[in-house]
Amino acid sequence: MATYWTVGCDARDPQRIAAFWARALGYVKEPGFDEPDNASIVDPDGRGPAIGFLKVPEGKSAKNRMHIDVRVAGPGPWDMAERARLIQQKVPELVAAGATVLREEWYGDTLGHVVMQDPEGNEFCVA
């Protein structure tokens, strides 16, 4: 039996960053975690881990050691052209929600992933 676990994240504005990641991942707010200093989101289907956000006074100061990959095409194997289309469809949605595009990574003629930053500057990839 797997152990239940939560990804814990520091944040300047837990509610704002939780709302961003809920939209990016298709998660919902976890009941009971909506105070100004903390927020938590959960997979509505109960498959993925919860993600908690705790207010801290300091801002982000270096590159992430871990990051989230938003896998828009689901589990492989993939039709790479369809996967690239889904990546290119998701990126503008996340930009509209406050993310920033840093760069595209290509594997020859195939779009591999897009490196982005969330509204607080944390790097992640859309793959």
Side-chain angles (χ1 to χ4, degrees):
M1 181 170 156
T3 300
Y4 288 99
W5 57 285
T6 298
V7 175
C9 305
D10 292 345
R12 278 178 289 202
D13 184 342
Q15 296 302 320
R16 178 176 182 232
I17 202 71
F20 171 83
W21 281 108
R23 180 173 179 180
L25 301 174
Y27 272 42
V28 297
K29 287 185 174 187
E30 184 174 9
F33 288 93
D34 59 354
E35 297 183 18
D37 291 344
N38 68 65
S40 182
I41 59 174
V42 294
D43 177 348
D45 297 326
R47 292 189 316 251
I51 305 174
F53 302 90
L54 182 64
K55 185 171 184 149
V56 296
E58 66 276 356
K60 182 177 177 293
S61 62
K63 183 182 181 297
N64 303 12
R65 296 289 304 262
M66 295 175 53
H67 70 265
I68 291 175
D69 283 348
V70 178
R71 293 177 61 177
V72 295
W78 303 287
D79 171 321
M80 296 307 280
E82 175 62 8
R83 182 176 171 274
R85 186 190 71 74
L86 291 169
I87 291 169
Q88 291 168 329
Q89 180 180 339
K90 187 71 170 178
V91 168
E93 174 189 331
L94 298 174
V95 168
T100 304
V101 174
L102 295 181
R103 67 183 177 280
E104 293 182 347
E105 295 288 337
W106 291 78
Y107 309 134
D109 293 336
T110 303
L111 177 60
H113 60 276
V114 177
V115 181
M116 303 184 76
Q117 287 180 321
D118 72 13
E120 291 199 2
N122 301 298
E123 295 88 2
F124 68 99
C125 296
V126 179

